[in-house]
Amino acid sequence: MTGVLGVTLGLALVLSSCGDGKSSGDSAAGGAKSVVIAIAADPLEYINPLNENGSAGIQVAQAMFAPLVTTDPSSGKTVNVMAESVTPDQTSQTWTIKLKPGNSFQNGQPLTAKDYVDSWNLTAQGSTAWKNNGFFSKVEGYDALNPETPDGATPKPTAVKTLSGLKQIDDMTFSVKLKVPFSQFGLTLQYLGLAPLPEEVRKNPDAYKRKPIGNGAYKLDGTWNAGEDIKLAKWDGYKGPNAPDADSITYRYIPNADTAYNEFLAGTVDFVDVPPTKVKTFKTDAPDGWVTAESSGANYLTLPAWDARFKNPKLRHAFSMAIDRKAFADLVGLSTPSKGLIAPDINGYRDNACKYCDFDAAKAKQLLQEAGGFSGPVNINYNTTSATGQIFAEAIGNMIRQNLGLEVKYTGKQGSEITELADTRKLDGLRFSGWGHDYPSIEDYLTPMFKSTGDANFAGYNNPALDKVLAQGDAEPDQEKAIKLYQQAEDIALEDMPLLPLYAKQNAYLHSAKIEPRVSKYTGVQALYSTFK
């Protein structure tokens, strides 16, 4: 919602779509079939899927890098892309991955098992400080590369440089031994944070921040400088399945979502997300060129675990029960109140998992008193590049002020600055956050945000009991039994409440007359896979 962390494009349950609208006057890279995709976010500083977990960067990575496996948009089943086979042992602790022969990087280097092993080892080193480091925390040997470090600090380089559980078997085969069995591991391989980097990039990643070399269907077209549009051209060397239809793609980063929307109406872009300010008008603004879908994204209000004033769970419960989620969801538009931490379309979702998400001002005041009150004003941080950032912050602030009797103040900053302050545990007060799955499992909502070592642990939350139950779910090969264990982990997080569930949202998009975005119950609405009329 605020751009602090972009929600990934895991969408589902298409409700409706139409197919006309504006045509773009900008031909991306001059291709015969070109599409200009607007992204309402600050421009990227680099392209590296191993160091990216936000939507703004992942969308470009989806075009430039090919995953090992993916979700089939028609059936919802996991299908191979770069992998020829993914085979677990009987315990789901050791996995063997065999690559398809004949694939290469865009610099001509053949794609081999060594590229995955070396890329993963580089990311797993804590001193590299890449965002997807925690993804490898389940692999044997991770702890040796990630010594205990003060919260918010970068680990120092270690003598050990490789994961002991990661082994190259031959040129096209490697194995991954996990610390414990993990039945979901095969699903995780579709995550682009596991994409390989070629040898020349691995030797000097900083030199390739703005000239990435991928293994996907598109390559960088010309030079790219920070702040500029990212122009991609179809790469003839891609031999994988499901190549998109476009000959060329331009990703245009426009920090203000309303400005991006107006660019579409002016005919300069072909695809744009509908911002919260336009949810009441987009169907009339573009009557023949819109599509909506239920989102697999979940949206929260994040409390800072590093601030001692928020330590008491009763205080966090009080904040939660002081929020009228129905009123807030109505303000956001195309939204429903959340009663749990999981998106509604995920297997394992429960409609009323949360005991403290019903609005009850009297109970909220009572809990606040039992917690000993709150010292000082409540600060709510909001993204200044979002047209609704301050509006939503003030809506939540008014509820806290009116229903708890607390003083509230507001601090506006760019989303990237809010994220940096939170990552280093220097952010004062609350912030909005969001998450969408990278692979379709309830586990992918819990491990990143609530495990003590999670990559998206927004609140700095740490509960060994939750970590233990998550590990039990990971080790359970029976999927239904695993879901029950993951639900127990969700219950622990809901009792501790480092994040307050707010709402689940329908996503809406506008598209030009010349394209029809791919719409799938399993993979959502994707501009990258548009067909041309």
Side-chain angles (χ1 to χ4, degrees):
M1 181 168 68
T2 65
V4 172
L5 183 79
V7 177
T8 54
L9 298 181
L11 312 174
L13 299 179
V14 174
L15 300 182
S16 54
S17 66
C18 303
D20 200 349
K22 300 286 183 179
S23 296
S24 168
D26 190 343
S27 177
K33 294 180 179 178
S34 62
V35 60
V36 182
I37 299 171
I39 299 178
D42 294 331
L44 294 183
E45 292 295 321
Y46 58 84
I47 299 173
N48 178 356
L50 295 166
N51 191 23
E52 182 60 74
N53 58 14
S55 176
I58 287 175
Q59 290 187 61
V60 178
Q62 286 175 332
M64 298 191 70
F65 294 84
L68 286 163
V69 301
T70 193
T71 296
D72 182 79
S74 300
S75 67
K77 295 181 179 179
T78 302
V79 295
N80 292 329
V81 182
M82 292 290 105
E84 185 172 275
S85 62
V86 177
T87 309
D89 65 4
Q90 291 185 341
T91 66
S92 295
Q93 185 167 356
T94 299
W95 295 70
T96 302
I97 301 165
K98 186 175 180 61
L99 302 177
K100 292 178 180 178
N103 289 303
S104 66
F105 289 99
Q106 292 157 0
N107 63 353
Q109 178 198 317
L111 177 64
T112 69
K114 180 175 170 36
D115 297 306
Y116 284 93
V117 170
D118 289 355
S119 297
W120 291 10
N121 279 326
L122 181 62
T123 311
Q125 294 176 33
S127 58
T128 306
W130 283 357
K131 293 177 181 177
N132 288 315
N133 165 278
F135 194 90
F136 300 96
S137 62
K138 292 184 174 69
V139 181
E140 193 175 79
Y142 174 85
D143 295 341
L145 276 67
N146 294 270
E148 288 192 19
T149 305
D151 199 17
T154 300
K156 294 180 180 180
T158 57
V160 179
K161 301 297 182 184
T162 61
L163 293 161
S164 59
L166 194 56
K167 303 291 185 183
Q168 181 179 347
I169 297 173
D170 58 39
D171 283 349
M172 304 306 290
T173 312
F174 65 102
S175 65
V176 187
K177 184 178 181 182
L178 308 175
K179 297 176 185 176
V180 294
F182 182 37
S183 60
Q184 311 292 304
F185 185 72
L187 284 174
T188 72
L189 297 178
Q190 61 190 282
Y191 181 43
L192 280 165
L194 301 178
L197 300 177
E199 184 176 9
E200 66 176 278
V201 175
R202 298 194 303 267
K203 287 181 177 178
N204 189 3
D206 286 345
Y208 289 87
K209 281 184 175 182
R210 297 192 181 96
K211 48 180 182 179
I213 299 172
N215 66 321
Y218 293 89
K219 64 180 181 179
L220 198 64
D221 187 19
T223 59
W224 167 58
N225 298 309
E228 296 179 349
D229 292 350
I230 298 174
K231 296 184 178 182
L232 307 179
K234 184 172 282 188
W235 177 50
D236 293 336
Y238 177 69
K239 298 178 181 179
N242 305 319
D245 195 26
D247 296 311
S248 57
I249 300 172
T250 294
Y251 289 95
R252 181 162 297 163
Y253 287 83
I254 304 172
N256 186 285
D258 283 346
T259 302
Y261 184 87
N262 290 332
E263 286 293 317
F264 173 86
L265 297 181
T268 63
V269 300
D270 294 301
F271 185 90
V272 69
D273 290 23
V274 173
T277 54
K278 305 297 182 181
V279 295
K280 304 287 197 304
T281 63
F282 72 91
K283 292 181 181 179
T284 53
D285 290 342
D288 298 315
W290 57 267
V291 58
T292 61
E294 294 291 343
S295 170
S296 290
N299 297 273
Y300 316 94
L301 187 66
T302 303
L303 309 181
W306 55 87
D307 187 334
R309 296 179 300 169
F310 292 92
K311 186 176 181 179
N312 193 320
K314 286 188 176 182
L315 181 134
R316 301 194 290 271
H317 301 162
F319 273 60
S320 181
M321 298 192 78
I323 296 172
D324 185 340
R325 287 170 173 77
K326 176 63 169 61
F328 190 72
D330 289 344
L331 174 66
V332 173
L334 293 177
S335 301
T336 55
S338 288
K339 296 295 184 69
L341 300 169
I342 312 302
D345 65 309
I346 295 296
N347 191 11
Y349 169 81
R350 295 167 294 166
D351 187 44
N352 284 294
C354 180
K355 296 188 294 185
Y356 307 105
C357 292
D358 291 322
F359 174 51
D360 188 333
K363 181 65 174 177
K365 287 181 179 177
Q366 177 187 335
L367 288 168
L368 179 64
Q369 290 177 350
E370 292 176 4
F374 186 84
S375 174
V378 178
N379 187 37
I380 302 179
N381 297 276
Y382 66 90
N383 185 356
T384 54
T385 61
S386 168
T388 55
Q390 185 172 353
I391 295 171
F392 293 166
E394 290 179 350
I396 293 293
N398 286 336
M399 294 177 190
I400 292 173
R401 178 175 53 81
Q402 293 169 5
N403 300 323
L404 294 177
L406 299 177
E407 180 186 352
V408 178
K409 67 176 184 178
Y410 308 94
T411 302
K413 298 179 182 294
Q414 285 197 342
S416 57
E417 185 179 358
I418 294 173
T419 300
E420 182 179 354
L421 287 169
D423 287 347
T424 55
R425 310 303 184 233
K426 296 176 183 177
L427 186 70
D428 171 30
L430 317 182
R431 65 165 172 157
F432 297 100
S433 59
W435 186 254
H437 66 71
D438 299 302
Y439 47 91
S441 170
I442 182 176
E443 180 271 337
D444 192 42
Y445 287 84
L446 299 170
T447 297
M449 291 189 290
F450 302 102
K451 187 176 180 179
S452 57
T453 57
D455 284 326
N457 191 331
F458 305 134
Y461 171 68
N462 186 342
N463 186 334
L466 183 140
D467 287 355
K468 181 179 179 180
V469 176
L470 273 179
Q472 292 171 347
D474 292 347
E476 175 54 63
D478 184 291
Q479 292 298 309
E480 292 307 312
K481 292 180 180 178
I483 286 174
K484 294 294 184 184
L485 288 164
Y486 290 134
Q487 288 173 337
Q488 290 180 29
E490 183 188 10
D491 289 340
I492 293 172
L494 285 169
E495 187 67 31
D496 288 344
M497 240 176 200
L499 307 181
L500 311 185
L502 287 180
Y503 64 91
K505 191 175 183 294
Q506 285 184 33
N507 287 329
Y509 309 89
L510 302 184
H511 63 88
S512 69
K514 69 180 182 182
I515 64 169
E516 192 70 47
R518 187 171 78 181
V519 178
S520 163
K521 175 181 178 179
Y522 305 104
T523 59
V525 179
Q526 292 180 302
L528 174 63
Y529 289 95
S530 296
T531 55
F532 287 74
K533 300 178 182 178

